[in-house]
Amino acid sequence: AGLGEFRIRDLNDEINKLLREKGHWEYRIKELGGPDYARIGPKMLDHEGKEVPGNRGYKYFGAAKDLPGVRELFEKEPLPPPRKTRAELMKDIDAEYYGYRDEDDGILEPLEQEHEKKVIAEAVEKWKMEREARLARGEEEEEENIYAVHEEESDEEGAKEREGEDGQQKFIAHVPVPTQQEIEEALVRRKKMELLQKYASETLLAQSEEAKTLLGL
């Protein structure tokens, strides 16, 4: 370790160069029909009896294993944190998580009211400026009555228009509305028919219908 970083790297490179040359000779021996020393040879161990660490065929010996950037290559990656189950994830989820109690602290609501007033004031100011600009150009038109009902919108079958004493249009009925007297007459006729069906015989009913036919009722 006292040789210094650069000297250690040079020596480690030289050892790896010799190992590559050794590997070429082992491959050549195998081609010539000799034994496969790469397979049957002993493992390369360090002075502690541990296998020499490496990365992509490059081996690190002695103090080279402690060089900056080398130690990190062989450090085991930390285990990922354990995944939480669905029950653990749902344990802390309540109404506050979904924002249902955002206004309970009394802070958000006043801020929203203040912002709402500001937006309304800006909209009113913008409308006034646009109206003044139209007046200056002489383009101001009479404001449309949003409550007015146009004639084409009224029902052709018995639409009734009611006007007040001042002649201003008030209401248009789009369906025929019966009066109170018509409703009472209809109830009386219905009651008579129920009584006739309850107490009169079939012959009397037939005679009554025949009489109505003769009288043109």
Side-chain angles (χ1 to χ4, degrees):
L3 295 177
E5 179 182 346
F6 297 104
R7 181 58 179 160
I8 293 175
R9 289 186 185 275
D10 291 340
L11 288 174
N12 201 78
D13 289 341
E14 186 176 350
I15 295 174
N16 278 274
K17 181 179 178 181
L18 294 173
L19 287 175
R20 285 195 299 271
E21 186 176 351
K22 176 175 176 287
H24 294 324
W25 281 112
E26 290 174 346
Y27 180 74
R28 180 60 179 163
I29 291 172
K30 181 181 177 183
E31 280 185 336
L32 295 175
D36 187 1
Y37 290 103
R39 184 173 64 86
I40 65 176
K43 292 183 178 181
M44 193 176 302
L45 305 176
D46 58 10
H47 66 282
E48 296 179 354
K50 298 179 181 179
E51 186 175 359
V52 177
N55 185 26
R56 297 182 180 179
Y58 190 91
K59 302 292 184 179
Y60 293 93
F61 299 90
K65 294 183 291 185
D66 297 326
L67 292 174
V70 177
R71 185 182 302 154
E72 290 78 2
L73 294 175
F74 310 111
E75 289 181 352
K76 293 182 179 180
E77 296 183 0
L79 295 176
R83 296 185 61 182
K84 292 184 178 181
T85 63
R86 186 175 182 85
E88 292 175 342
L89 293 174
M90 298 295 293
K91 181 175 62 176
D92 298 328
I93 295 180
D94 52 11
E96 187 174 357
Y97 174 82
Y98 292 102
Y100 291 134
R101 294 189 295 192
D102 288 348
E103 299 179 356
D104 292 351
D105 55 3
I107 298 176
L108 183 61
E109 189 171 357
L111 294 176
E112 289 180 345
Q113 292 177 355
E114 182 179 353
H115 182 70
E116 182 181 4
K117 292 178 181 178
K118 181 179 178 182
V119 172
I120 293 175
E122 291 177 354
V124 172
E125 186 66 23
K126 181 179 178 182
W127 175 80
K128 288 181 179 180
M129 293 176 62
E130 292 178 352
R131 184 170 180 272
E132 291 176 358
R134 289 196 300 269
L135 285 173
R137 294 194 302 265
E139 299 177 359
E140 181 67 18
E141 297 180 357
E142 184 179 357
E143 295 184 1
E144 181 182 359
N145 184 8
I146 61 175
Y147 300 104
V149 180
H150 302 287
E151 293 182 0
E152 58 269 15
E153 296 178 358
S154 61
D155 189 6
E156 296 180 357
E157 297 179 359
K160 297 182 180 181
E161 182 179 15
R162 298 183 179 180
E163 296 183 359
E165 296 178 358
D166 53 357
Q168 183 180 359
Q169 178 180 340
K170 286 188 175 181
F171 175 75
I172 293 181
H174 294 272
V175 293
V177 180
T179 62
Q180 183 68 23
Q181 183 178 358
E182 293 175 344
I183 295 175
E184 292 176 355
E185 292 177 355
L187 292 174
V188 171
R189 287 196 300 270
R190 180 178 177 182
K191 192 66 176 177
K192 287 181 178 180
M193 291 299 299
E194 291 177 355
L195 292 173
L196 286 174
Q197 291 176 359
K198 185 176 181 180
Y199 297 107
S201 61
E202 295 182 358
T203 304
L204 183 59
L205 288 175
Q207 293 176 354
S208 176
E209 292 295 335
E210 184 178 358
K212 288 182 179 180
T213 304
L214 294 175
L215 295 174
L217 299 176

